[in-house]
Amino acid sequence: MKIYKLPPEKVYDKLKTSESGLSENEAEYRLKKYGLNKIEELKKPPLIKIFLANFYHVLALLLWAASILAFISGNPQLGFAIIAVIIINAIFSFWQEYEAEKATEALKKILPIHAKVIRNGKEIEIIAEKLVPGDILVLEEGDRISADARLVESYQMKVDNSTLTGESRPVRKISNIPKKEHNYLEMPNIVFAGTSVSSGTGKAVIICTGMNTEFSKIASMTQSVKDELSPLQKQINKLAHIIAFVAVSMGLILFIVDIWVINLPLVVGFTFAIGLMVANVPEGLLPTVTLALASSAKKMVKKNALIKRLSSVETLGSTTIICTDKTGTLTKNEMTVRKIWIPHKVIDVTGTGYSSEGEFIYEGQKISYNEFKELELVIRVATFCNDAKLIENGKSTNNFKIMGDPTEASLLVAALKINFNLEKELRRMPRIGEIPFDSDRKCMSSIHQKNDRKVAYVKGAPKRIISLCNQISVGNIVRKFTSDEKDEVIKIHDKMASEGLRILSMAYKELSTNFEDYDPHFVEKDMIFTGFVAMQDPPRPEVCQAVKKCHQASIRIIMITGDYGLTAKAIAKEVGIISGECTLIKGKELDEMTDSEVYGIIKSKGNVIFARAVPEHKLRIASILEDKKEIVAMTGDGVNDAPALKKADIGVAMGITGTDVAKEASDMVLTDDNFATIVSAIKEGRTIYENIRKFITYIFAHETAEILPFVLMVLFKIPLPITAMQILAIDLGTDTLPALALGMGPSESDVMKRPPRSHDEHLLNLQVIFRGYVYLGLIEALIVISGYFWVLFSGGWQWGDNLLFTDQLYLRATTMVFVGIVCAQIGNILTCQTTRMSSFKLGLFRNKWIIIGILFEVIVTLAIVYIPYLQNIFGTTSLSAIEWLYVITFIPIMFFADELRKYWIRIN
């Protein structure tokens, strides 16, 4: 008989398991038999194909054209040299792309999917890859289902099947045999790998894993979706096309001038045009950007931020507003019960104990027997209506490891303090049903069998629970709960909330013996109020500094919390998000406001908090802000937060408390659930964008110095000051590692003291062009040309004289230009480490790659200048001591010229 036609009790027999689950030995045996629970990935393109792709992108094609022209013009040495450059660049690019891919793959492995199962009668958490047929899955709201399984228990359970069926609405799931036939993928008592629990809870016995699941049949489609290029990568590609157009245009113009104006031989005209084209090509631009993004993502992992898409790195740098939760993000998520209110007494919670002589003492406070029974009743509700577990001998506080929600775990700890034996009580009053929490009802109910009766225990938002109660238990006696008494209780609640305490109310309701319908509209009304529990979740100590950095960086922080307004306001004040008065908007008030009104309040009011908000409110706020061109980072952890996380520019999921669904919908996962980590990630996002601009500035500066000699040759008919081979030696030799070093540099100290850049701002803006091409480029060009003429004039050259390419004086003069550009670039790399701040303040050699880069270009330069074989290839010769002294001065000239520019910017 098919598994879905068997009653739940027969399913265990069919799959050779039991309610206690598999033993570890049996699970190990089945893992060897069935293999790991994973989908085989599609084969990626072979490495050779990835390598060959580096030979036909736009800049490579331009170099191929240049090499062909060199052969046509009768200059095979230059042609082969350009081909060598293409090959070297392809190898370099392939290596960088390979490293970036390895980094991306490593990131995917940092947060493996876990699953809760029952083995040996205990609930444990394991890596989903180790699930086997026969394992009993424990499913809760937000869990990603990692294998096909048959439900044996379900409480108000709904599953998102959209990955399999395309149906966006969650479908109801049951554990019983369906009354009518269904398509297998729509079978109500089967859950499938790749889907997720939208609401409710349940248990299911695994039927299939890995490649035997239904999800494996569509795996090839899900894996074939290609990653889109990020906006930054698109800008880089556009920039490459612009550079290619400029290079071809300038080469063509120079060729026409050489042939028809200066009347140079065709071969010489071709050679000069090729040289100018090569001078315009920043060969290392594309791979350096890819590696810089991957390197930045790896840095963020060390700071507890897992970037799922490289494009998110750059978007982070543009963030203007952070919409953040309170619990666990701004606070430690280390809930501790501090106060328990029973009618009508507040009990402070710090320790425990009671005497055996009828006089009860709780936390050093004398309470009567009836008051103790009321306290016990509150604790009963808090622990019965609870899905958390405390596992002994863990590494967390009080020698317990928490499994489940920290808030619920704190209630279990409070129960231990009065020696409330939960296991014994649950044997006496077993749970027979559950109505899971949802953000609309703001409460959770647990149904228990008490002798011949059934009792519903309910906990939730205080005002919600109070409004649903018509009776109150006082001194172990149930009586009417009057409106005046409710108002007094709410005042006590508000006073505690204003102290930053998080509060949950407790109630219960006795049900009829034949009660079967777990409809919350019936269960959660006309209840008996028992009291409430106040918990403290202290702010993270590092959050205050992170909030201060956001204010300095002109980043707004908006708290959106499901918690009570006074509690949220107290925490917001404590961490510095608000100062003075603030606008507190409750969920119901938000529903009544138009989008324009909401944005008007956010824009005009300095301090705004959204309290008693539900996930739908997060989505709406994200949409409103994005419509106004704000760049929004939105935090979330629940399954219902997924739409808001997808909508926001940067969806930020919690790695510890976050559901699998939230993590999948997000762009970034915080492995420590810490608000300060978001700020660190924004800082890194700003840094990477600035570093790429520094890299572009650096390469643009020497391009001006390489292009200007061709212009001077045309205008003044002088011997060409630099050869095409020397240009190649700089572009693909001396400048490669230094340029890469700039792309991996540290943050400037003022990077978080500037306002966010516009998301529409282009990478190549007027400031970058001016600093690179114009300011640094012209200074570099002028000083190296000064060295060129100094050597010529000191060697007896006169204006109008022609020099052969093999003339010793010409070789010395061009070597002077070649070495001069290298020295000027050393000055440039030292100053290009900062944009506004003095490089001395950052530290000239704080970036270790700068030192390596400088050493590399010095060694390459000396080799080209002094090794005879390389002298013949690149047209160089040795320089005298006085000539070396002359070009070495280019280092401080370039450095202090830009330091002067930065100083002028800082004082104006």
Side-chain angles (χ1 to χ4, degrees), residues 782-812:
L782 291 174
I783 59 177
V784 296
I785 290 298
S786 74
Y788 176 72
F789 282 117
W790 178 63
V791 171
L792 286 182
F793 287 129
S794 64
W797 179 82
Q798 293 184 358
W799 208 270
D801 288 352
N802 288 321
L803 293 174
L804 296 174
F805 292 148
T806 55
D807 191 297
Q808 191 64 26
L809 180 61
Y810 178 74
L811 292 175
R812 277 179 48 227

mmCIF file of all heavy atoms in Angstrom, residues 782-812:
data_model
loop_
_atom_site.group_PDB
_atom_site.id
_atom_site.type_symbol
_atom_site.label_atom_id
_atom_site.label_comp_id
_atom_site.label_asym_id
_atom_site.label_seq_id
_atom_site.Cartn_x
_atom_site.Cartn_y
_atom_site.Cartn_z
ATOM 1 N N LEU A 782 54.386 65.468 -17.588
ATOM 2 C CA LEU A 782 55.326 66.601 -17.686
ATOM 3 C C LEU A 782 56.685 66.268 -17.077
ATOM 4 O O LEU A 782 57.732 66.599 -17.658
ATOM 5 C CB LEU A 782 54.730 67.839 -17.012
ATOM 6 C CG LEU A 782 53.523 68.466 -17.738
ATOM 7 C CD1 LEU A 782 52.937 69.594 -16.900
ATOM 8 C CD2 LEU A 782 53.938 68.978 -19.115
ATOM 9 N N ILE A 783 56.691 65.586 -15.927
ATOM 10 C CA ILE A 783 57.993 65.317 -15.300
ATOM 11 C C ILE A 783 58.768 64.246 -16.077
ATOM 12 O O ILE A 783 60.004 64.330 -16.183
ATOM 13 C CB ILE A 783 57.851 64.938 -13.804
ATOM 14 C CG1 ILE A 783 56.980 63.702 -13.607
ATOM 15 C CG2 ILE A 783 57.333 66.104 -12.993
ATOM 16 C CD1 ILE A 783 56.864 63.242 -12.143
ATOM 17 N N VAL A 784 58.036 63.239 -16.643
ATOM 18 C CA VAL A 784 58.796 62.226 -17.398
ATOM 19 C C VAL A 784 59.293 62.809 -18.732
ATOM 20 O O VAL A 784 60.390 62.457 -19.191
ATOM 21 C CB VAL A 784 57.952 60.943 -17.638
ATOM 22 C CG1 VAL A 784 57.606 60.270 -16.320
ATOM 23 C CG2 VAL A 784 56.713 61.200 -18.452
ATOM 24 N N ILE A 785 58.519 63.696 -19.325
ATOM 25 C CA ILE A 785 58.981 64.359 -20.556
ATOM 26 C C ILE A 785 60.158 65.280 -20.256
ATOM 27 O O ILE A 785 61.093 65.420 -21.076
ATOM 28 C CB ILE A 785 57.824 65.150 -21.216
ATOM 29 C CG1 ILE A 785 56.797 64.171 -21.800
ATOM 30 C CG2 ILE A 785 58.329 66.081 -22.304
ATOM 31 C CD1 ILE A 785 57.339 63.267 -22.886
ATOM 32 N N SER A 786 60.157 65.867 -19.045
ATOM 33 C CA SER A 786 61.312 66.709 -18.670
ATOM 34 C C SER A 786 62.586 65.860 -18.614
ATOM 35 O O SER A 786 63.671 66.300 -19.013
ATOM 36 C CB SER A 786 61.063 67.380 -17.316
ATOM 37 O OG SER A 786 61.183 66.452 -16.239
ATOM 38 N N GLY A 787 62.439 64.631 -18.089
ATOM 39 C CA GLY A 787 63.586 63.720 -18.051
ATOM 40 C C GLY A 787 64.033 63.331 -19.446
ATOM 41 O O GLY A 787 65.244 63.211 -19.717
ATOM 42 N N TYR A 788 63.066 63.147 -20.322
ATOM 43 C CA TYR A 788 63.372 62.792 -21.713
ATOM 44 C C TYR A 788 64.210 63.882 -22.382
ATOM 45 O O TYR A 788 65.274 63.609 -22.958
ATOM 46 C CB TYR A 788 62.054 62.576 -22.452
ATOM 47 C CG TYR A 788 62.185 62.301 -23.930
ATOM 48 C CD1 TYR A 788 62.684 61.086 -24.389
ATOM 49 C CD2 TYR A 788 61.791 63.254 -24.874
ATOM 50 C CE1 TYR A 788 62.787 60.823 -25.749
ATOM 51 C CE2 TYR A 788 61.897 62.999 -26.231
ATOM 52 C CZ TYR A 788 62.391 61.780 -26.670
ATOM 53 O OH TYR A 788 62.494 61.525 -28.016
ATOM 54 N N PHE A 789 63.740 65.141 -22.276
ATOM 55 C CA PHE A 789 64.471 66.239 -22.921
ATOM 56 C C PHE A 789 65.799 66.520 -22.226
ATOM 57 O O PHE A 789 66.779 66.904 -22.869
ATOM 58 C CB PHE A 789 63.598 67.505 -22.942
ATOM 59 C CG PHE A 789 62.544 67.494 -24.015
ATOM 60 C CD1 PHE A 789 61.196 67.511 -23.700
ATOM 61 C CD2 PHE A 789 62.905 67.449 -25.357
ATOM 62 C CE1 PHE A 789 60.230 67.483 -24.695
ATOM 63 C CE2 PHE A 789 61.940 67.426 -26.361
ATOM 64 C CZ PHE A 789 60.600 67.446 -26.028
ATOM 65 N N TRP A 790 65.862 66.305 -20.913
ATOM 66 C CA TRP A 790 67.121 66.530 -20.197
ATOM 67 C C TRP A 790 68.202 65.596 -20.726
ATOM 68 O O TRP A 790 69.335 66.017 -20.973
ATOM 69 C CB TRP A 790 66.885 66.301 -18.698
ATOM 70 C CG TRP A 790 68.140 66.465 -17.871
ATOM 71 C CD1 TRP A 790 68.895 67.584 -17.713
ATOM 72 C CD2 TRP A 790 68.786 65.435 -17.107
ATOM 73 N NE1 TRP A 790 69.962 67.334 -16.892
ATOM 74 C CE2 TRP A 790 69.919 66.022 -16.503
ATOM 75 C CE3 TRP A 790 68.521 64.089 -16.869
ATOM 76 C CZ2 TRP A 790 70.786 65.295 -15.678
ATOM 77 C CZ3 TRP A 790 69.373 63.387 -16.040
ATOM 78 C CH2 TRP A 790 70.500 63.970 -15.454
ATOM 79 N N VAL A 791 67.836 64.318 -20.932
ATOM 80 C CA VAL A 791 68.812 63.357 -21.475
ATOM 81 C C VAL A 791 69.191 63.738 -22.909
ATOM 82 O O VAL A 791 70.381 63.718 -23.285
ATOM 83 C CB VAL A 791 68.234 61.923 -21.426
ATOM 84 C CG1 VAL A 791 69.145 60.961 -22.202
ATOM 85 C CG2 VAL A 791 68.093 61.443 -19.985
ATOM 86 N N LEU A 792 68.198 64.103 -23.723
ATOM 87 C CA LEU A 792 68.478 64.459 -25.123
ATOM 88 C C LEU A 792 69.397 65.679 -25.217
ATOM 89 O O LEU A 792 70.410 65.664 -25.934
ATOM 90 C CB LEU A 792 67.174 64.732 -25.883
ATOM 91 C CG LEU A 792 66.304 63.525 -26.250
ATOM 92 C CD1 LEU A 792 65.075 63.991 -27.034
ATOM 93 C CD2 LEU A 792 67.072 62.498 -27.073
ATOM 94 N N PHE A 793 69.021 66.733 -24.514
ATOM 95 C CA PHE A 793 69.813 67.968 -24.601
ATOM 96 C C PHE A 793 71.210 67.788 -24.004
ATOM 97 O O PHE A 793 72.196 68.329 -24.522
ATOM 98 C CB PHE A 793 69.084 69.122 -23.897
ATOM 99 C CG PHE A 793 67.893 69.640 -24.672
ATOM 100 C CD1 PHE A 793 66.656 69.787 -24.071
ATOM 101 C CD2 PHE A 793 68.023 69.993 -26.011
ATOM 102 C CE1 PHE A 793 65.564 70.264 -24.781
ATOM 103 C CE2 PHE A 793 66.934 70.468 -26.730
ATOM 104 C CZ PHE A 793 65.699 70.610 -26.118
ATOM 105 N N SER A 794 71.316 67.009 -22.902
ATOM 106 C CA SER A 794 72.638 66.769 -22.314
ATOM 107 C C SER A 794 73.509 65.898 -23.221
ATOM 108 O O SER A 794 74.735 65.896 -23.113
ATOM 109 C CB SER A 794 72.504 66.110 -20.934
ATOM 110 O OG SER A 794 71.904 64.830 -21.057
ATOM 111 N N GLY A 795 72.891 65.183 -24.150
ATOM 112 C CA GLY A 795 73.625 64.339 -25.092
ATOM 113 C C GLY A 795 73.917 65.037 -26.413
ATOM 114 O O GLY A 795 74.391 64.395 -27.358
ATOM 115 N N GLY A 796 73.586 66.332 -26.510
ATOM 116 C CA GLY A 796 73.914 67.111 -27.704
ATOM 117 C C GLY A 796 72.804 67.161 -28.746
ATOM 118 O O GLY A 796 72.990 67.686 -29.850
ATOM 119 N N TRP A 797 71.633 66.632 -28.437
ATOM 120 C CA TRP A 797 70.526 66.661 -29.406
ATOM 121 C C TRP A 797 70.016 68.076 -29.594
ATOM 122 O O TRP A 797 69.988 68.870 -28.633
ATOM 123 C CB TRP A 797 69.403 65.757 -28.915
ATOM 124 C CG TRP A 797 68.193 65.718 -29.825
ATOM 125 C CD1 TRP A 797 68.037 64.972 -30.930
ATOM 126 C CD2 TRP A 797 66.980 66.467 -29.660
ATOM 127 N NE1 TRP A 797 66.797 65.187 -31.498
ATOM 128 C CE2 TRP A 797 66.116 66.122 -30.730
ATOM 129 C CE3 TRP A 797 66.542 67.419 -28.734
ATOM 130 C CZ2 TRP A 797 64.845 66.656 -30.882
ATOM 131 C CZ3 TRP A 797 65.273 67.948 -28.890
ATOM 132 C CH2 TRP A 797 64.436 67.573 -29.965
ATOM 133 N N GLN A 798 69.645 68.409 -30.808
ATOM 134 C CA GLN A 798 69.088 69.728 -31.105
ATOM 135 C C GLN A 798 67.717 69.564 -31.752
ATOM 136 O O GLN A 798 67.422 68.561 -32.392
ATOM 137 C CB GLN A 798 70.012 70.520 -32.051
ATOM 138 C CG GLN A 798 71.336 70.894 -31.392
ATOM 139 C CD GLN A 798 72.199 71.746 -32.304
ATOM 140 O OE1 GLN A 798 71.821 72.033 -33.448
ATOM 141 N NE2 GLN A 798 73.353 72.161 -31.810
ATOM 142 N N TRP A 799 66.920 70.586 -31.568
ATOM 143 C CA TRP A 799 65.544 70.525 -32.061
ATOM 144 C C TRP A 799 65.519 70.276 -33.566
ATOM 145 O O TRP A 799 66.179 70.974 -34.322
ATOM 146 C CB TRP A 799 64.811 71.827 -31.734
ATOM 147 C CG TRP A 799 63.329 71.603 -31.581
ATOM 148 C CD1 TRP A 799 62.412 71.664 -32.551
ATOM 149 C CD2 TRP A 799 62.649 71.243 -30.385
ATOM 150 N NE1 TRP A 799 61.170 71.377 -32.056
ATOM 151 C CE2 TRP A 799 61.286 71.115 -30.699
ATOM 152 C CE3 TRP A 799 63.061 71.010 -29.058
ATOM 153 C CZ2 TRP A 799 60.312 70.776 -29.764
ATOM 154 C CZ3 TRP A 799 62.091 70.686 -28.141
ATOM 155 C CH2 TRP A 799 60.742 70.561 -28.482
ATOM 156 N N GLY A 800 64.783 69.293 -34.004
ATOM 157 C CA GLY A 800 64.686 68.956 -35.420
ATOM 158 C C GLY A 800 65.546 67.784 -35.821
ATOM 159 O O GLY A 800 65.394 67.244 -36.929
ATOM 160 N N ASP A 801 66.497 67.392 -34.937
ATOM 161 C CA ASP A 801 67.351 66.241 -35.243
ATOM 162 C C ASP A 801 66.533 64.954 -35.200
ATOM 163 O O ASP A 801 65.678 64.776 -34.336
ATOM 164 C CB ASP A 801 68.493 66.115 -34.222
ATOM 165 C CG ASP A 801 69.530 67.206 -34.420
ATOM 166 O OD1 ASP A 801 69.437 67.935 -35.426
ATOM 167 O OD2 ASP A 801 70.411 67.341 -33.547
ATOM 168 N N ASN A 802 66.823 64.057 -36.135
ATOM 169 C CA ASN A 802 66.213 62.727 -36.134
ATOM 170 C C ASN A 802 67.170 61.739 -35.491
ATOM 171 O O ASN A 802 68.395 61.822 -35.682
ATOM 172 C CB ASN A 802 65.881 62.276 -37.554
ATOM 173 C CG ASN A 802 64.705 63.042 -38.136
ATOM 174 O OD1 ASN A 802 63.751 63.313 -37.422
ATOM 175 N ND2 ASN A 802 64.782 63.398 -39.406
ATOM 176 N N LEU A 803 66.640 60.816 -34.730
ATOM 177 C CA LEU A 803 67.459 59.793 -34.081
ATOM 178 C C LEU A 803 66.959 58.414 -34.499
ATOM 179 O O LEU A 803 65.755 58.159 -34.570
ATOM 180 C CB LEU A 803 67.372 59.911 -32.553
ATOM 181 C CG LEU A 803 67.988 61.162 -31.915
ATOM 182 C CD1 LEU A 803 67.689 61.192 -30.417
ATOM 183 C CD2 LEU A 803 69.499 61.196 -32.146
ATOM 184 N N LEU A 804 67.916 57.508 -34.792
ATOM 185 C CA LEU A 804 67.555 56.129 -35.094
ATOM 186 C C LEU A 804 67.087 55.431 -33.818
ATOM 187 O O LEU A 804 67.512 55.780 -32.708
ATOM 188 C CB LEU A 804 68.756 55.379 -35.676
ATOM 189 C CG LEU A 804 69.284 55.892 -37.025
ATOM 190 C CD1 LEU A 804 70.550 55.147 -37.397
ATOM 191 C CD2 LEU A 804 68.224 55.731 -38.116
ATOM 192 N N PHE A 805 66.205 54.414 -33.988
ATOM 193 C CA PHE A 805 65.721 53.690 -32.823
ATOM 194 C C PHE A 805 66.841 52.968 -32.085
ATOM 195 O O PHE A 805 66.704 52.638 -30.914
ATOM 196 C CB PHE A 805 64.646 52.675 -33.236
ATOM 197 C CG PHE A 805 63.366 53.319 -33.709
ATOM 198 C CD1 PHE A 805 62.588 52.708 -34.683
ATOM 199 C CD2 PHE A 805 62.941 54.528 -33.176
ATOM 200 C CE1 PHE A 805 61.407 53.293 -35.116
ATOM 201 C CE2 PHE A 805 61.770 55.117 -33.606
ATOM 202 C CZ PHE A 805 60.987 54.507 -34.581
ATOM 203 N N THR A 806 67.950 52.720 -32.796
ATOM 204 C CA THR A 806 69.080 52.005 -32.179
ATOM 205 C C THR A 806 70.134 52.950 -31.621
ATOM 206 O O THR A 806 71.117 52.503 -31.040
ATOM 207 C CB THR A 806 69.737 51.087 -33.222
ATOM 208 O OG1 THR A 806 70.109 51.869 -34.361
ATOM 209 C CG2 THR A 806 68.772 49.977 -33.627
ATOM 210 N N ASP A 807 69.924 54.267 -31.807
ATOM 211 C CA ASP A 807 70.885 55.261 -31.317
ATOM 212 C C ASP A 807 70.946 55.197 -29.792
ATOM 213 O O ASP A 807 69.924 55.169 -29.111
ATOM 214 C CB ASP A 807 70.455 56.664 -31.778
ATOM 215 C CG ASP A 807 71.549 57.697 -31.526
ATOM 216 O OD1 ASP A 807 71.879 57.909 -30.334
ATOM 217 O OD2 ASP A 807 72.044 58.283 -32.499
ATOM 218 N N GLN A 808 72.181 55.172 -29.239
ATOM 219 C CA GLN A 808 72.355 55.045 -27.800
ATOM 220 C C GLN A 808 71.689 56.185 -27.033
ATOM 221 O O GLN A 808 71.110 55.982 -25.961
ATOM 222 C CB GLN A 808 73.858 54.989 -27.458
ATOM 223 C CG GLN A 808 74.158 54.581 -26.015
ATOM 224 C CD GLN A 808 73.712 53.150 -25.705
ATOM 225 O OE1 GLN A 808 73.620 52.306 -26.589
ATOM 226 N NE2 GLN A 808 73.400 52.881 -24.452
ATOM 227 N N LEU A 809 71.754 57.395 -27.600
ATOM 228 C CA LEU A 809 71.117 58.548 -26.951
ATOM 229 C C LEU A 809 69.599 58.367 -26.896
ATOM 230 O O LEU A 809 68.963 58.651 -25.883
ATOM 231 C CB LEU A 809 71.465 59.839 -27.708
ATOM 232 C CG LEU A 809 70.854 61.134 -27.131
ATOM 233 C CD1 LEU A 809 71.341 61.357 -25.699
ATOM 234 C CD2 LEU A 809 71.221 62.324 -28.016
ATOM 235 N N TYR A 810 69.016 57.866 -27.988
ATOM 236 C CA TYR A 810 67.558 57.641 -28.024
ATOM 237 C C TYR A 810 67.163 56.546 -27.024
ATOM 238 O O TYR A 810 66.154 56.668 -26.324
ATOM 239 C CB TYR A 810 67.117 57.239 -29.435
ATOM 240 C CG TYR A 810 65.634 56.957 -29.533
ATOM 241 C CD1 TYR A 810 64.714 57.997 -29.504
ATOM 242 C CD2 TYR A 810 65.162 55.644 -29.641
ATOM 243 C CE1 TYR A 810 63.347 57.732 -29.575
ATOM 244 C CE2 TYR A 810 63.805 55.379 -29.714
ATOM 245 C CZ TYR A 810 62.900 56.426 -29.683
ATOM 246 O OH TYR A 810 61.550 56.174 -29.749
ATOM 247 N N LEU A 811 67.997 55.499 -26.954
ATOM 248 C CA LEU A 811 67.700 54.420 -26.015
ATOM 249 C C LEU A 811 67.722 54.931 -24.572
ATOM 250 O O LEU A 811 66.855 54.577 -23.761
ATOM 251 C CB LEU A 811 68.715 53.280 -26.175
ATOM 252 C CG LEU A 811 68.644 52.487 -27.492
ATOM 253 C CD1 LEU A 811 69.782 51.472 -27.558
ATOM 254 C CD2 LEU A 811 67.305 51.778 -27.632
ATOM 255 N N ARG A 812 68.719 55.786 -24.255
ATOM 256 C CA ARG A 812 68.791 56.344 -22.896
ATOM 257 C C ARG A 812 67.596 57.242 -22.598
ATOM 258 O O ARG A 812 67.040 57.241 -21.511
ATOM 259 C CB ARG A 812 70.088 57.141 -22.718
ATOM 260 C CG ARG A 812 71.288 56.258 -22.371
ATOM 261 C CD ARG A 812 72.583 57.050 -22.224
ATOM 262 N NE ARG A 812 72.432 58.221 -21.382
ATOM 263 C CZ ARG A 812 72.887 59.437 -21.712
ATOM 264 N NH1 ARG A 812 73.488 59.629 -22.867
ATOM 265 N NH2 ARG A 812 72.728 60.445 -20.887
#
